[in-house]
Amino acid sequence: MNTMHRHNSWIAAIGALFAMTYPLAGAAADDGRFEKLSVYLERNVQDHDAEIRFDVTGAADGLTALKVMAPDERTVIDLRSPDSKLGVRSLTLESPEPDDDKIVRTDFPAGVYRFEGTTTKGAHLRGETQLSHVFPEPAAFEYPRPDQKDVPVTALTLRWSVPKGIEACAIVIEQTGSAYEIRALLPGSARSFTVPEGFLRAGKAYKFAIGTVAKDGNRSFSEAGFTTARTR
C-alpha cells in the first residue's frame, strides 16, 4: 500500500514496488490498447485500513489524457496534460486509506473498470480490467515473532505461513530510523527469506511486513517488528 502512508511512511512505496501489472492480451501500441492495466485493493491487517490502486502503462507515446469509468458508469479518474509534448507513459494512482474499508468498496464497486486515453500523437487507447472486493488471507508470522527481542544478527531467516492459492509474497524489512531496507517479491510458494549478511546491526529495531498477493492483484499486508541482540 502506500500500504500505510499515514502512519508507516517506511512502507509507503510497497504498492508501487509490488504492482504486479500484466500485459493485456494482444495489447500493442498500434492497435489502440494500453500496454498494461490493473486495479486492485490493498489492506493493512493490523490497522484495519485499505486503499485502491490503479496502475496504467500507455503506448510508446505518452498520454495527454486518461479517464477511468467505474462499473456504475461514474468517472473516477479524469487526468489531462494538454500542454505537455511528451505526456506521461506510466501512472500509479492510489486513494486515501480510511479506517473502514467499506468506504473504499462503496466508492469503488467491484466489476469492470473501463480506461480511455489519448496520446501526444492523438491516438486513442481503450482497455478494461476487473476489480474484486475479496482480499487474500494474510500471512502468519512464524519467526521472528512480532516484537521479539534478541533476534540474531547473523543467519536470520524469516519464516511465515500463507493460505493456498497465493500468487506472490511481498517482503519488506527496514531498520527503524534509517534509509536501509530490503524489498523482495517472491513466488506464492515461498515460506522463508534469509536476510543477507551485513544488513542487520546489533541492538537495532527493525520493522518487517509480509504481503499476500492474490491472482486478481488484491493484497493483504501484515506488519510487525523485532529487535536484534546486542553485541556481548
Side-chain angles (χ1 to χ4, degrees), residues 54-68:
F54 294 83
D55 291 301
V56 179
T57 300
D61 300 315
L63 295 168
T64 58
L66 174 68
K67 182 181 289 188
V68 182

Side-chain angles (χ1 to χ4, degrees), residues 33-74:
R33 299 191 182 188
F34 291 87
E35 183 177 313
K36 294 180 181 179
L37 293 175
S38 70
V39 55
Y40 57 90
L41 297 176
E42 189 170 284
R43 68 169 174 166
N44 179 321
V45 175
Q46 278 72 27
D47 295 315
H48 307 289
D49 60 21
E51 69 178 1
I52 189 169
R53 296 183 66 93
F54 294 83
D55 291 301
V56 179
T57 300
D61 300 315
L63 295 168
T64 58
L66 174 68
K67 182 181 289 188
V68 182
M69 279 72 71
D72 56 8
E73 299 302 322
R74 288 179 302 121

Side-chain angles (χ1 to χ4, degrees), residues 92-104:
T92 296
L93 303 169
E94 61 188 44
S95 71
E97 300 170 36
D99 293 335
D100 184 354
D101 64 28
K102 292 181 181 178
I103 298 174
V104 176

Side-chain angles (χ1 to χ4, degrees), residues 10 21 31 54 103 125 137 164 176 182 188 218:
W10 72 283
T21 54
D31 68 1
F54 294 83
I103 298 174
L125 308 182
E137 290 298 314
K164 292 181 180 180
T176 303
I182 291 174
N218 287 356

Side-chain angles (χ1 to χ4, degrees), residues 29-30 36 45 49-50 52 58 64 67 71 74 82 101 109 134 148 156 164 180 189 192 196 199 206 210 220:
D30 59 359
K36 294 180 181 179
V45 175
D49 60 21
I52 189 169
T64 58
K67 182 181 289 188
R74 288 179 302 121
D101 64 28
V134 179
Q148 183 170 338
L156 172 62
K164 292 181 180 180
Y180 299 117
S189 58
S192 64
F199 176 75
Y206 291 84
I210 300 175
S220 298

Side-chain angles (χ1 to χ4, degrees), residues 148-228:
Q148 183 170 338
K149 311 295 183 184
D150 295 326
V151 173
V153 172
T154 60
L156 172 62
T157 296
L158 307 180
R159 296 194 300 271
W160 62 89
S161 60
V162 297
K164 292 181 180 180
I166 295 301
E167 182 74 11
C169 291
I171 310 299
V172 179
I173 312 168
E174 187 202 57
Q175 180 180 311
T176 303
S178 82
Y180 299 117
E181 62 183 10
I182 291 174
R183 300 179 184 179
L185 184 64
L186 308 176
S189 58
R191 300 293 183 270
S192 64
F193 178 80
T194 299
V195 180
E197 293 297 321
F199 176 75
L200 298 175
R201 296 289 185 266
K204 298 292 184 181
Y206 291 84
K207 294 179 180 179
F208 69 111
I210 300 175
T212 51
V213 184
K215 294 183 184 299
D216 60 17
N218 287 356
R219 54 208 67 189
S220 298
F221 276 91
S222 296
E223 59 176 298
F226 65 86
T227 303
T228 53

